[in-house]
Amino acid sequence: MPATKKPIQDPYEAILKQLLVELVELRETIEDLANQRLQKYQSSYHAGLFSKSARNLAHYLAMRQFDLRHLQDRLAQAGLSSLGRSESSVLSTFDALIEVLNRATNKSYQPSARNPSESGFNRGQQLLEQHTIALFGSFHDHSKAHVMVTLGTEASWDYELVSALLEKGMTCARINCAHDDPVVWQKMISNIRRAETELASPCRILMDLAGHKIRTGAITPGPAVHRIKVKKDRTGKIIAPGYLILTSQIDTTAGNADALFKVLIPEQLHKQLQPKMTLGFTDTRNRRRYFHVEQALSESDWLVSCPQTAYLASGCAIQLLSPDGTDQHKPAGKFNVGQFPGEPLEIRVFKGDTVLLTAEHILGKPAEHNANGELTHPAQIGCTLSSAINKLKVGQPVWIDDGKLGATVEALSKKGALLRITHAKSSGVCINPDKGINFPETDLGLPPLSQKDLVDLDFACAHADLVGFSFVESQQDMELLMDELVKRNAVEMPIIAKIETNLAVKNLPDIILGTIGRYNLGIMIARGDLAVELGSARLAEIQEELLWLCEAAHVPVIWATQVLESIAKKGTRSRPEFTDAAMAVRAECVMLNKGPYILDAIEALVNVMKRMHEHQRKKFSRLRALQW
């Protein structure tokens, strides 16, 4: 009797069955772990009901506890969809894979009646898009990303600039509360609202609370001369005048290094000024120069322009000229401008040098040497948070000016902290006043919101569309801000949590899970401060992880700091920056900083976004036909 032939085992089927078993087990484990995590937030949600976004983030965090690289490779070898694009819909991705594997390995399997379009990838993407529109408004035709621009002081009086920003593609204007004041902010907002109406182009307003931004202090002044700078093109041709403010009242509390320079004038002259008037003076080079009165900025301030570079001396004579229609203006009155301090002395340091970090009230100054060139006193610079010096320890790092200057604490004394420079470019780095100082390994014990933040929050709740929370580090910080919003009857105010520190990165899941479903939330990846905290190499990795995490929570992301910086600041184009901008379109909003060439930067960014969105959505390559 012939032997019965055994059915031949299909090795491919065996592989698929094994994958099916692993995926089913992994899915069950992910659900259990996610439910355990969500129990921590039961009290934050009404009746313990979690949003789809909160649940999906919990599923994603549970999934990413495992090293899935080997499973990923085997899925790809089997020609199956990768888990690497599952961020927005974790369980739906598993369900789709399990459904396909059941169909392939079980002939008696009864297919699910579930509609893939309702339960699959689309739903997560739709939620992210809805949340993005809720924060930033409808998308423009050019792409699925919004453009945010940080406004400079000139936006308060230059309506044409604000109008041009909207025309070029700005959809959100950022007002940094660390600079200017409510009078200037109100003028900025008025210009934005006017441009919105005239152009029929909506623009949201983000008011960014300053937080405890620790900065360098004032520096010993040099000669009392102020240089008025005009704007020139690459050929040296003057294309825009220099500006300053003539004022009848100097605000001694103002400390904004980016604001226009203010010069005190006599009350008698101030009362006579009108738009289009001209004032003449002789600068320190004995060259005749003129101010043209542009407009009143407030009851005390007049904006004036100077068409040529000039060096204005403290207390110099100034003449109000009569508009007699001739080339030779006749003086209508002679006055003197008030006394003002000179520009800060240059403090340039190199790798290996020492710098003394002192209390804020001590003026910074360059290093001092004797006749033999020997160092007698190191360079010194004040710190606006003097108490931070007492919390430093020897060996801890200190970074200045967004990481341009790195140092370690070498010694501590009653005079301050002696820093040894460890990172500086070969030509040295100039330490300027009002530049950020970071202490990444020092616990400063500061409250989440400063007294200034609370005052500024009053204005933001009355005038802004979004509020930015600087240096948020925990869900407890978020609870404090939410309580303050409740006090101001602003429970509908969306929050932009700025991720700027290593601790904020670690606590981001808590920050998101404790907030979404209660407040509209956006996340800003503040890459400048993060690079200082984490290092550039680690930042490159972390910014990817933050994008994945926020996509899983369907939370819009703002990609910020130094995007197309060379264009905005200098009008020059950098290939690496364009590559960075191309990567930025994976976020829902890209932020540009202010600069003389900001309109060129917006145009370049919009062009990049429009092109890249044809090719890519988040990590997903769309495979548009190549035109080769």
Side-chain angles (χ1 to χ4, degrees):
M1 183 174 178
T4 304
K5 290 184 178 182
K6 294 182 180 180
I8 299 174
Q9 179 81 25
D10 182 355
Y12 190 69
E13 183 178 348
I15 292 172
L16 297 183
K17 286 183 176 180
Q18 180 60 34
L19 285 171
L20 176 60
V21 170
E22 292 180 36
L23 287 170
V24 170
E25 291 179 352
L26 182 57
R27 188 192 187 286
E28 291 175 355
T29 302
I30 287 171
E31 278 212 274
D32 289 341
L33 291 174
N35 289 333
Q36 292 174 25
R37 180 184 289 271
L38 289 173
Q39 287 178 3
K40 175 182 175 182
Y41 306 96
Q42 289 281 358
S43 60
S44 299
Y45 289 82
H46 179 67
L49 297 176
F50 294 97
S51 66
K52 287 185 173 67
S53 299
R55 288 194 174 280
N56 189 68
L57 175 57
H59 293 144
Y60 180 74
L61 291 168
M63 181 183 74
R64 294 307 303 268
Q65 292 182 34
F66 302 96
D67 188 339
L68 302 177
R69 286 176 290 184
H70 183 53
L71 176 59
Q72 282 279 79
D73 290 340
R74 289 159 56 216
L75 285 170
Q77 290 166 7
L80 295 171
S81 175
S82 163
L83 294 172
R85 295 193 296 270
S86 64
E87 283 82 3
S88 64
S89 303
V90 175
L91 291 190
S92 294
T93 302
F94 274 87
D95 290 342
L97 279 168
I98 291 170
E99 180 80 11
V100 169
L101 288 169
N102 272 317
R103 289 171 182 249
T105 59
N106 185 354
K107 294 181 180 179
S108 61
Y109 175 72
Q110 294 297 317
S112 170
R114 190 181 335 188
N115 185 343
S117 65
E118 294 178 358
S119 60
F121 297 103
N122 292 347
R123 185 56 186 149
Q125 293 166 6
Q126 289 167 1
L127 286 171
L128 177 56
E129 185 165 319
Q130 289 171 14
H131 297 161
T132 301
I133 293 172
L135 281 184
F136 303 115
S138 300
F139 294 106
H140 282 197
D141 293 337
H142 55 72
S143 73
K144 287 289 186 179
H146 286 276
V147 177
M148 177 184 294
V149 178
T150 301
L151 299 182
T153 307
E154 64 272 18
S156 66
W157 49 263
D158 191 347
Y159 171 73
E160 297 303 323
L161 170 63
V162 174
S163 178
L165 290 172
L166 267 69
E167 282 190 296
K168 289 291 186 180
M170 177 179 75
T171 57
C172 185
R174 173 177 175 257
I175 296 176
N176 187 353
C177 293
H179 301 310
D180 301 311
D181 55 46
V183 173
V184 175
W185 302 337
Q186 184 62 70
K187 291 179 180 294
M188 291 178 177
I189 292 170
S190 296
N191 280 337
I192 294 168
R193 298 307 185 206
R194 175 185 166 190
E196 276 188 301
T197 301
E198 294 185 359
L199 299 174
S201 182
C203 180
R204 298 290 168 90
I205 295 174
L206 165 68
M207 294 211 67
D208 206 337
L209 301 179
H212 295 280
K213 183 69 173 179
I214 306 168
R215 298 182 179 273
T216 52
I219 295 175
T220 302
V225 176
H226 174 69
R227 182 188 176 194
I228 303 167
K229 301 177 183 178
V230 298
K231 181 179 175 181
K232 299 180 180 180
D233 64 15
R234 296 188 184 94
T235 67
K237 180 181 177 182
I238 296 175
I239 57 175
Y243 292 95
L244 56 74
I245 294 172
L246 299 181
T247 182
S248 60
Q249 184 179 359
I250 291 290
D251 180 6
T252 57
T253 63
N256 178 10
D258 293 328
L260 289 177
F261 190 73
K262 283 189 175 184
V263 178
L264 186 66
I265 59 173
E267 185 71 30
Q268 183 182 357
L269 172 59
H270 186 272
K271 291 179 179 179
Q272 297 182 55
L273 294 183
Q274 294 293 332
K276 298 184 180 180
M277 282 185 170
T278 301
L279 299 108
F281 66 98
T282 301
D283 76 358
T284 58
R285 302 168 300 168
N286 203 32
R287 295 180 181 176
R288 193 63 175 166
R289 292 291 185 258
Y290 298 94
F291 288 136
H292 300 299
V293 181
E294 300 288 344
Q295 60 175 294
L297 300 180
S298 67
E299 291 184 358
S300 60
D301 294 349
W302 282 95
L303 177 72
V304 299
S305 63
C306 185
Q308 293 177 289
T309 297
Y311 291 80
L312 181 70
S314 175
C316 86
I318 188 169
Q319 297 173 321
L320 179 60
L321 305 177
S322 59
D324 57 3
T326 67
D327 292 337
Q328 299 298 322
H329 294 290
K330 296 179 181 179
K334 293 184 178 181
F335 307 90
N336 288 86
V337 301
Q339 299 292 325
F340 56 80
E343 295 292 324
L345 294 175
E346 180 179 285
I347 304 177
R348 182 176 290 273
V349 294
F350 299 84
K351 185 176 180 179
D353 286 351
T354 55
V355 175
L356 184 64
L357 189 66
T358 69
E360 180 181 16
H361 70 275
I362 301 176
L363 292 178
K365 62 180 181 179
E368 297 174 359
H369 300 80
N370 61 21
N372 298 323
E374 298 169 336
L375 180 69
T376 58
H377 193 285
Q380 67 184 38
I381 188 68
C383 173
T384 56
L385 184 69
S386 302
S387 62
I389 299 173
N390 299 326
K391 298 183 179 181
L392 291 174
K393 296 179 181 179
V394 172
Q396 288 184 331
V398 177
W399 294 90
I400 299 174
D401 197 1
D402 285 339
K404 292 184 177 67
L405 195 66
T408 57
V409 179
E410 188 168 279
L412 297 167
S413 69
K414 292 181 179 179
K415 294 181 179 179
L418 187 65
L419 311 179
R420 178 72 64 176
I421 304 302
T422 57
H423 294 81
K425 60 184 180 181
S426 58
S427 59
V429 174
C430 281
I431 303 178
N432 294 311
D434 202 39
K435 296 299 180 182
I437 306 178
N438 292 79
F439 305 101
E441 294 181 11
T442 306
D443 182 7
L444 301 177
L446 299 173
L449 293 169
S450 69
Q451 288 302 310
K452 180 182 185 306
D453 291 335
L454 295 175
V455 173
D456 293 344
L457 188 60
D458 293 336
F459 184 94
C461 290
H463 298 93
D465 301 305
L466 314 160
V467 61
F469 193 179
S470 297
F471 300 104
V472 57
E473 292 192 317
S474 67
Q475 176 54 26
Q476 289 72 30
D477 293 351
M478 293 294 291
E479 293 291 344
L480 177 61
L481 177 59
M482 288 187 278
D483 288 345
E484 293 296 336
L485 291 175
V486 170
K487 293 176 185 177
R488 291 161 176 80
N489 296 316
V491 293
E492 300 297 323
M493 175 70 77
I495 301 171
I496 303 298
K498 297 173 63 180
I499 306 304
E500 303 176 83
T501 67
N502 190 25
L503 187 57
V505 171
K506 292 178 180 178
N507 289 334
L508 185 58
D510 279 343
I511 290 171
I512 294 176
L513 282 171
T515 307
I516 55 176
R518 301 165 65 192
Y519 279 79
N520 286 338
L521 178 68
I523 296 295
M524 179 183 288
I525 304 178
R527 300 185 302 158
D529 284 291
L530 271 182
V532 173
E533 290 265 332
L534 305 173
S536 297
R538 176 65 174 142
L539 173 65
E541 179 182 23
I542 281 294
Q543 65 187 18
E544 296 297 310
E545 295 179 10
L546 296 181
L547 283 170
W548 302 338
L549 202 67
C550 291
E551 185 181 359
H554 312 134
V555 169
V557 172
I558 302 168
W559 181 282
T561 313
Q562 294 181 334
V563 179
L564 298 181
E565 192 89 344
S566 293
I567 296 182
K569 299 291 187 186
K570 302 177 182 177
T572 59
R573 293 172 179 260
S574 162
R575 284 191 297 274
E577 286 184 344
F578 270 90
T579 302
D580 179 59
M583 297 286 285
V585 300
R586 292 173 303 157
E588 284 63 51
C589 181
V590 183
M591 190 185 93
L592 295 172
N593 279 323
K594 59 194 172 185
Y597 304 92
I598 185 61
L599 296 176
D600 294 339
I602 296 177
E603 186 174 6
L605 178 61
V606 169
N607 187 25
V608 169
M609 290 194 299
K610 183 176 181 180
R611 293 173 180 274
M612 289 306 299
H613 276 288
E614 293 293 323
H615 294 282
Q616 189 169 332
R617 181 179 64 242
K618 292 292 187 179
K619 292 190 300 181
F620 186 76
S621 296
R622 302 179 68 190
L623 298 184
R624 189 189 74 173
L626 296 178
Q627 303 301 315
W628 284 358

